[in-house]
Amino acid sequence: MHVVADVNVTPIGAGASLSSHIAACEEVIEAAGLKYRLHAHGTNIEGSWEEVMRVIQRCHDVLHERGAPRVDSAIRIATATDKDQSLEERIDRVERKMG
């Protein structure tokens, strides 16, 4: 099943600055070959259910490897059976209606 996920993976106990940890997760997503878009409070990821879950798991693994004793993820997942719609199409549709 195709999903669009909004994911916020947060290392806990890894210091005050998280940007290098976020960049490490973005590299995991990039290496997986999934479509994604970083935003101010997380990342949208597009792919199969299995691929997206595997990437999130790998992000947890990488952050633990980088020294974070705990990692917390907030995940929202959207699926649809009535049509295929990419991440870009979802955003473009709203932006067209804005003006």
Side-chain angles (χ1 to χ4, degrees):
M1 177 173 282
H2 182 83
V3 303
V4 174
D6 185 32
V7 181
N8 183 318
V9 181
T10 306
I12 300 171
S17 178
L18 302 180
S19 59
S20 67
H21 299 293
I22 294 166
C25 281
E26 296 298 307
E27 290 172 0
V28 167
I29 301 165
E30 180 81 25
L34 299 180
K35 287 186 179 180
Y36 70 97
R37 182 176 289 188
L38 176 67
H39 58 86
H41 195 64
T43 304
N44 293 130
I45 307 171
E46 180 181 345
S48 74
W49 187 277
E50 294 80 13
E51 291 171 320
V52 170
M53 290 298 117
R54 202 169 19 252
V55 162
I56 295 168
Q57 180 180 1
R58 182 67 187 132
C59 284
H60 275 249
D61 293 343
V62 164
L63 294 180
H64 286 304
E65 290 166 8
R66 293 173 54 90
R70 296 181 184 196
V71 179
D72 181 75
S73 285
I75 306 167
R76 295 183 328 153
I77 296 175
T79 61
T81 59
D82 58 335
K83 63 180 169 178
D84 288 330
Q85 191 176 39
S86 71
L87 178 60
E88 292 86 7
E89 290 169 336
R90 293 175 73 136
I91 294 168
D92 290 345
R93 186 174 193 154
V94 172
E95 288 179 344
R96 282 194 308 270
K97 291 181 179 182
M98 291 172 57

